[in-house]
Amino acid sequence: MATVIELPVEIFKGPVDPDWCPGCGDFGVLKGVQQAAAKCGIKPENLLVVSGIGCSSNLPGFIHAYGIHSLHGRAVPVATGAHLANTDLKVVITGGDGDGYGIGVGHLLHAMRRNLDVTYVVMDNQIYGLTTGQTSPTTTLGHKTKSTPQGNLESPLNPLALALTAGATYIARGFSGEQKHLADIIAGAIEHKGFSLVDVFSPCVTYNKINTYPFFKERVYKLEDEGWDPTDFHKSMEKAFEWGDKIPLGVIYKADMPTYEDGELAFKKGPLVKQSLKADKKMFDSFIEEMI
Amino acid sequence: MQEVTIGIAGAAGDGLDKSGDTLARSCGRLGLHVYAYNSYQSIIRGGHIWLRVRIGENKVYSHGDKLNVLVALNQDSIERHAGEVEEGGVVIFNSDKIKCDPALVRPGVKILALPMAKVTEDVVKEHGPLQAIMQNTVAVGAVCFLSNIGLEEPTSVLTDTFAHKGQKVIDLNVGLLKAGYEFAKANCQTLTKEWQFSHKKRPFVTGNEAIALGAYAAGCKFYSAYPMTPASTILHWMASHAAKTGICVKQCEDELSVINMAIGAGIAGARSMCATAGGGFALMTEAVGMAGIMEVPVVVVEVQRGGPSTGLPTKTEQADLFQVYGASQGEFPRLIVAPKSIADAYETTVDVFNLADKYQLPVLLMSDLLLSEHPETVDPEVFNSDVKIDRGEVVTEWKEDQGKFKRFKFTESGISPRALPGTANCNYVSATDDHDEESILISDMYTSPGTRRMIMEKRNRKIENLLKELPAPALEGPKDADLTLVCWGSTWGVVKEAVELLNAQGIKTNMLNIKYIAPFHAKEVSEILGKAKKKISVEVNYTSQMARHIKAETGISMDAHINRYDGEPMEPAFVAEHVKRILAGKALSLECTEEEAKDIGYHYLRTHALEKLRPSKLTKESGNGFGEQVWNIEFTERATGKTGARMLVGVSTGSTHSFEKLASE
């Protein structure tokens, strides 16, 4: 493996400044992605940041890299296609809980079970922000939102447990209030070979008055401070359900498993985009011969 | 021209497609032309399968109107199709199991009862008992004699087919083939004169195979799909050949994923394609607009089947034109094209990869079940893999001192050179939000009406140049015809033969096939149709969507429409008969025909588990208290021939008014 040459984080400064609300948790995540890319030494032309739709999905516009700002819920398949077409690109998917765990959750499950070598950073604010404050798949039970004025009736989805059962091989939780820690987790995710899910508490200061910075600051602790071993699946599953006064941050599970790319014959000759487009005449003619 | 049509009928799982394949490949090797159509149901075992194989000395463009030989693999098939065999034809069946009532066939039709056990006695002695499916090979042998194609090529086809199973299996099958051949020879005469075999070998190809081959020739590197009839066989071809072609073939969790992956691959720079049927395309529509606004080359194949909704999964229709035309919100350039034949499907697929790249837009290639699934012999020269590959304007190097790379530069042509991710100094975002030249969003904080107008016009300018590059439609047939038939897609072949039929009958007819749906050659089509004396649209749908599209684009209305929407493709005589009806000024009768009433009777028997009965006699009656004329359908017991039940079906509504059992089962 080539030596990693760290890059200055400034080169990832995007062409425009983010238009998120002042104090939005997504600022910290953007910085975390930029710091992680710099730490991993990924040149801006080799970094592809793919998002769906939502406040946090505007992130690709705020970073100096290639980006795809796709449809609501479709970041994962778009990223999958781009990644399979050019496996030389480092693909980081960024988006929100509505995008990833709501409208796009079907794709997320399948991407995880494929163990694709991509990183998915979910800015989880437990609310729909861009549409002005409706309930999301991770909204707490009983939380009163614009669409649930009597309180949310649906149990929140547990992204970490979901990722464990679906087959992701790097599962972590960060907090945009713990910026450096978050950058390290994302860097670990990018370096990990296989599907990485990083669920990030990224508070919505405008529409979620429950899951705020103080809410998390009082509760979060770092797994590595306790000498956590992320390689035991069943213990990780138990840990994924820890919630309440103490909420764990850090890499909850990590496994070394074959990736989808390892088994795909089409990559034997390198990334698809670098292969010749000319059909092999002899082979083509043999296909015609099959039908005679 | 000498031709012969063989029909093979049975249930799903009877293996009749393999029999048809042996016959068709043999003809293809001899230099004869074949067109086959398999009418089947969405069922894996059972049901009714009806394969027609039309063989001609010259090119045949449809499965035709005639039936010369019926191979019936079950009793049901005899009852349904024996009456369709033309005078001089033959009905073949295993007489150990099936009977054929002479009253069922037309005068001059030979009933060739094949005593399977006796005919295969020697083969069984040598090879042991036969599996039921092997008996089909005996029937194929008989057909080889009747259609006068000899034993040599069929033997070589079987030898190739079973090569992987060893000599013993080959010998067994060839033995069965010969037994059938000799039996027919001893009992019948051939149905055709000596053929002029050119011995030019032609592959026997389906439309979907042609599309897959076209994609491979064009350098497609990524193919994604979700299984859905009638598009699945593209996936099957792609998957079974992937180890050789090097194409990355991805079955996805749903059609949303399918098209979004294909577009992602397109953004990254791989030539990519996906395919689906109408229902899957409905899920894909949002992403079509994404490819439009991001200006991504991608090829989407939409194979139409009977709709709406799940509709008729295994039946043909041309009713998705409006869906495809209207796919996705907003306005954006895209190419919608409908190839007319298998050869055209190959060539069109190759072309559209270049057009998608050059104009950086989604291509929606429309096929239909008939075009995609029917096989025919195609001249091998059509499948030329040495094709032009034009990736359009791609920036591979950009120096920092060249300034900011503008992915969506406003140009005269509307085409902005693109750089693929990985190219240094060109970073940009492909966004679904509208954006400026540098791909900065104009949607959120600083919506700029000026920039919006410029980028809208830039994108849509591409279409003007694209239209200039596409060949305009032209009349086929006599220029000074009294009648012009207008069609699109697979109906081209049927209409082509209908035009010949009508001209032979003294009705001077020509035809106009529309291949490019968007952009549309409005000027050229206006000129042609403006001069046409009488215009009739011919479409396999209910609402004449192409006729409406032409009217929207040109203001020209058709004088009449010919439609079919019962799930089956049109036949040349069907078109010709309707043309004559229209010319005679007769209104279309929507009454339930005798044939349809019989079919409704069969449907009732199947759904009520009354397989012991069969519809035998139908009479039209009035004054029955149902407020309309009815078809009185008499059912007889298959075993005894006794009248078993009576059913009344409305002539006007087609409603099943009553079903009455007359005798104990």
Side-chain angles (χ1 to χ4, degrees):
Chain A
M1 203 169 153
T3 334
V4 172
I5 302 164
E6 286 196 29
L7 296 168
V9 71
E10 296 73 39
I11 69 165
F12 293 99
K13 186 180 158 39
V16 290
D17 290 328
D19 52 12
W20 292 313
C21 302
C24 175
D26 296 348
F27 285 99
V29 182
L30 170 63
K31 206 170 166 194
V33 173
Q34 289 167 324
Q35 286 170 335
K39 192 181 168 197
C40 295
I42 303 162
K43 288 183 182 162
E45 63 263 32
N46 294 328
L47 177 63
L48 179 65
V49 185
V50 186
S51 70
I53 294 294
C55 291
S56 55
S57 283
N58 287 338
L59 191 145
F62 308 139
I63 184 168
H64 181 60
Y66 278 95
I68 306 176
H69 187 171
S70 75
L71 294 168
H72 195 29
R74 313 297 161 227
V76 168
V78 172
T80 304
H83 168 67
L84 294 177
N86 186 356
T87 39
D88 280 352
L89 299 172
K90 269 288 171 197
V91 174
V92 177
I93 308 163
T94 58
D97 42 306
D99 198 57
Y101 304 147
I103 189 168
V105 73
H107 304 308
L108 173 60
L109 284 175
H110 294 279
M112 293 194 289
R113 87 183 163 87
R114 287 177 193 126
N115 198 26
L116 282 166
D117 187 14
V118 297
T119 295
Y120 193 178
V121 180
V122 180
M123 286 158 263
D124 187 353
N125 57 14
Q126 300 165 267
I127 199 82
Y128 278 74
L130 191 61
T131 50
T132 71
Q134 298 84 5
T135 184
S136 102
T138 49
T139 299
T140 316
L141 204 60
H143 187 155
K144 289 183 180 172
T145 72
K146 269 193 191 159
S147 58
T148 56
Q150 307 304 317
N152 175 28
L153 296 173
E154 299 171 8
S155 290
L157 181 143
N158 184 329
L160 304 184
L162 187 77
L164 273 160
T165 53
T169 51
Y170 182 102
I171 302 165
R173 184 190 277 142
F175 173 36
S176 59
E178 291 282 354
Q179 216 272 312
K180 197 189 160 309
H181 180 247
L182 174 63
D184 287 344
I185 290 176
I186 297 173
I190 291 171
E191 279 165 1
H192 173 73
K193 191 168 164 273
F195 194 95
S196 307
L197 179 75
V198 183
D199 184 72
V200 186
F201 295 140
S202 180
C204 174
V205 293
T206 308
Y207 293 109
N208 190 337
K209 303 297 185 192
I210 293 174
N211 308 103
T212 58
Y213 284 101
F215 173 91
F216 290 113
K217 281 201 167 138
E218 281 167 20
R219 292 169 170 84
V220 295
Y221 74 97
K222 290 172 192 156
L223 284 167
E224 50 273 34
D225 291 348
E226 304 199 338
W228 176 252
D229 169 19
T231 60
D232 186 317
F233 179 86
H234 295 283
K235 282 190 181 151
S236 297
M237 184 60 96
E238 219 171 289
K239 195 52 102 178
F241 282 94
E242 191 175 302
W243 191 266
D245 294 343
K246 279 184 80 191
I247 302 174
L249 296 182
V251 181
I252 200 159
Y253 181 69
K254 194 169 187 287
D256 198 10
M257 301 283 278
T259 62
Y260 185 82
E261 298 82 341
D262 289 340
E264 176 56 64
L265 295 174
F267 303 147
K268 290 245 156 81
K269 289 183 188 164
L272 300 180
V273 291
K274 293 178 183 169
Q275 296 179 19
S276 161
L277 294 187
K278 271 275 170 217
D280 180 314
K281 188 177 180 335
K282 229 174 118 185
M283 194 181 294
F284 185 92
D285 291 345
S286 78
F287 297 156
I288 303 301
E289 197 63 32
E290 279 172 19
M291 298 186 281
I292 293 177
Chain B
M1 178 195 66
Q2 175 160 297
E3 62 168 271
V4 63
T5 301
I6 317 296
I8 309 177
D14 281 349
L16 55 85
D17 50 337
K18 289 274 175 262
S19 306
D21 208 51
T22 306
L23 184 65
R25 279 176 186 241
S26 305
C27 294
R29 290 182 184 190
L30 289 165
L32 298 176
H33 298 263
V34 182
Y35 186 112
Y37 178 67
N38 189 8
S39 174
Y40 69 110
Q41 275 93 35
S42 187
I43 190 167
I44 307 302
R45 290 270 183 263
H48 180 69
I49 311 286
W50 177 220
L51 172 70
R52 271 159 294 178
V53 182
R54 183 176 173 210
I55 302 159
E57 211 149 67
N58 301 331
K59 177 89 184 154
V60 280
Y61 294 94
S62 77
H63 59 275
D65 301 291
K66 297 187 165 82
L67 181 65
N68 305 106
V69 179
L70 167 68
V71 176
L73 301 179
N74 57 24
Q75 194 62 43
D76 185 44
S77 301
I78 293 269
E79 287 154 14
R80 284 164 174 266
H81 301 295
E84 294 169 33
V85 178
E86 304 219 336
E87 191 185 335
V90 179
V91 178
I92 309 173
F93 55 94
N94 175 357
S95 57
D96 295 351
K97 287 187 177 165
I98 305 169
K99 288 183 296 188
C100 180
D101 181 351
L104 286 174
V105 303
R106 299 185 197 175
V109 171
K110 167 109 182 153
I111 297 175
L112 186 62
L114 198 151
M116 192 59 74
K118 197 158 171 287
V119 171
T120 59
E121 207 174 0
D122 292 343
V123 182
V124 171
K125 257 184 215 159
E126 198 183 331
H127 295 277
L130 303 176
Q131 289 170 28
I133 202 164
M134 291 176 179
Q135 297 173 0
N136 297 356
T137 311
V138 182
V140 172
V143 170
C144 289
F145 173 78
L146 294 169
S147 55
N148 209 7
I149 62 164
L151 268 177
E152 196 183 323
E153 284 300 350
T155 301
S156 87
V157 168
L158 283 180
T159 305
D160 293 349
T161 305
F162 295 108
H164 64 291
K165 291 194 170 174
Q167 194 58 42
K168 209 171 147 43
V169 178
I170 293 172
D171 291 345
L172 164 64
N173 280 279
V174 171
L176 294 171
L177 185 82
K178 277 186 183 154
Y181 189 92
E182 294 303 332
F183 178 78
K185 195 176 173 183
N187 292 284
C188 305
Q189 288 182 330
T190 61
L191 297 187
T192 67
K193 288 183 245 145
E194 289 288 309
W195 297 93
Q196 296 300 311
F197 295 132
S198 70
H199 293 283
K200 175 175 177 164
K201 292 183 177 181
R202 293 185 179 87
F204 187 55
V205 190
T206 67
N208 277 350
E209 287 166 339
I211 290 168
L213 282 162
Y216 173 52
C220 175
K221 291 286 167 204
F222 184 84
Y223 178 78
S224 50
Y226 184 85
M228 188 168 187
T229 304
S232 299
T233 49
I234 301 178
L235 171 62
H236 299 166
W237 192 95
M238 284 289 189
S240 61
H241 292 75
K244 288 182 176 171
T245 60
I247 296 172
C248 180
V249 181
K250 191 76 213 74
Q251 181 181 330
C252 303
E253 59 273 18
D254 53 38
E255 284 89 351
L256 304 168
S257 186
V258 167
I259 189 167
N260 281 282
M261 272 197 203
I263 292 170
I267 293 170
R271 284 197 154 178
S272 68
M273 182 170 92
C274 60
T276 185
F281 187 76
L283 294 183
M284 291 184 174
T285 52
E286 188 188 19
V288 174
M290 173 167 80
I293 197 165
M294 288 180 174
E295 306 193 44
V296 182
V298 64
V299 177
V300 182
V301 180
E302 205 264 20
V303 189
Q304 302 166 88
R305 68 186 206 188
S309 198
T310 308
L312 300 174
T314 62
K315 297 289 160 187
T316 199
E317 205 163 81
Q318 299 181 293
D320 293 353
L321 192 148
F322 286 170
Q323 172 179 233
V324 173
Y325 190 82
S328 216
Q329 69 273 30
E331 296 157 312
F332 54 93
R334 76 280 193 235
L335 170 62
I336 306 175
V337 56
K340 64 183 182 183
S341 68
I342 291 173
D344 193 28
Y346 175 77
E347 285 159 1
T348 302
T349 307
V350 172
D351 284 348
V352 296
F353 273 96
N354 285 336
L355 294 171
D357 264 347
K358 185 171 175 187
Y359 293 96
Q360 301 174 22
L361 43 67
V363 174
L364 311 175
L365 191 153
M366 296 189 74
S367 180
D368 53 56
L369 184 137
L370 177 65
L371 177 58
S372 273
E373 292 200 335
H374 94 267
E376 68 180 62
T377 49
V378 180
D379 285 342
E381 304 83 60
V382 167
F383 299 107
N384 171 19
S385 63
D386 187 21
V387 300
K388 184 187 89 173
I389 291 175
D390 177 4
R391 302 240 44 195
E393 293 183 54
V394 179
V395 171
T396 52
E397 203 185 14
W398 191 268
K399 300 208 173 62
E400 270 178 279
D401 61 10
Q402 284 177 271
K404 170 84 181 148
F405 173 75
K406 292 178 175 171
R407 167 63 187 96
F408 301 103
K409 190 176 168 58
F410 301 159
T411 59
E412 282 286 324
S413 66
I415 298 168
S416 320
R418 69 180 183 133
L420 306 181
T423 313
N425 306 315
C426 295
N427 299 33
Y428 61 88
V429 177
S430 299
T432 51
D433 283 74
D434 217 347
H435 37 258
D436 67 12
E437 289 180 283
E438 296 179 5
S439 79
I440 309 284
L441 307 197
I442 58 165
S443 48
D444 290 345
M445 282 177 77
Y446 308 107
T447 303
S448 158
T451 311
R452 163 69 175 181
R453 183 164 76 81
M454 294 307 146
I455 189 129
M456 275 293 279
E457 289 173 7
K458 173 210 114 63
R459 271 196 299 267
N460 287 294
R461 265 202 299 279
K462 294 194 288 189
I463 216 74
E464 295 158 24
N465 290 323
L466 170 59
L467 182 62
K468 282 181 207 151
E469 193 170 327
L470 304 174
L475 285 172
E476 295 174 63
K479 286 262 171 301
D480 56 341
D482 298 316
L483 173 68
T484 300
L485 299 181
V486 180
C487 62
W488 64 290
S490 67
T491 309
W492 170 78
V494 178
V495 172
K496 188 178 168 64
E497 292 193 332
V499 165
E500 282 170 24
L501 215 59
L502 287 162
N503 282 310
Q505 292 170 12
I507 301 166
K508 220 168 183 187
T509 312
N510 59 20
M511 66 186 286
L512 182 69
N513 182 75
I514 304 292
K515 175 171 174 178
Y516 298 102
I517 294 160
F520 191 81
H521 292 93
K523 188 171 154 278
E524 293 85 346
V525 173
S526 292
E527 270 173 29
I528 292 168
L529 292 181
K531 287 180 201 152
K533 290 181 194 154
K534 196 170 180 77
K535 306 164 286 290
I536 301 177
S537 67
V538 185
E539 302 181 56
V540 184
N541 59 31
Y542 186 80
T543 54
S544 308
Q545 295 185 21
M546 179 53 84
R548 287 166 190 256
H549 184 54
I550 291 171
K551 183 161 188 184
E553 290 283 351
T554 66
I556 296 174
S557 301
M558 296 293 139
D559 296 299
H561 309 285
I562 296 173
N563 304 85
R564 185 163 186 180
Y565 39 84
D566 63 359
E568 295 303 322
M570 290 184 183
E571 282 113 16
F574 173 94
V575 176
E577 288 311 310
H578 277 288
V579 164
K580 284 187 264 180
R581 171 187 62 75
I582 290 163
L583 295 181
K586 279 193 210 157
L588 175 68
S589 166
L590 293 174
E591 283 189 353
C592 179
T593 65
E594 181 172 349
E595 200 185 330
E596 286 169 332
K598 194 173 167 188
D599 190 59
I600 291 168
Y602 267 119
H603 175 73
Y604 189 90
L605 297 181
R606 273 200 304 275
T607 52
H608 292 76
L610 297 164
E611 301 283 350
K612 288 175 183 166
L613 300 173
R614 66 174 172 92
S616 49
K617 199 175 140 204
L618 288 90
T619 40
K620 225 185 220 181
E621 290 175 359
S622 310
N624 45 63
F626 292 110
E628 62 174 326
Q629 277 198 310
V630 293
W631 283 109
N632 184 339
I633 310 172
E634 206 174 283
F635 294 90
T636 46
E637 288 180 351
R638 281 192 166 130
T640 63
K642 279 188 210 157
T643 305
R646 187 185 309 285
M647 179 169 162
L648 299 180
V649 170
V651 170
S652 172
T653 64
S655 174
T656 301
H657 290 308
S658 69
F659 181 89
E660 187 188 354
K661 274 192 191 175
L662 299 176
S664 59
E665 283 183 56

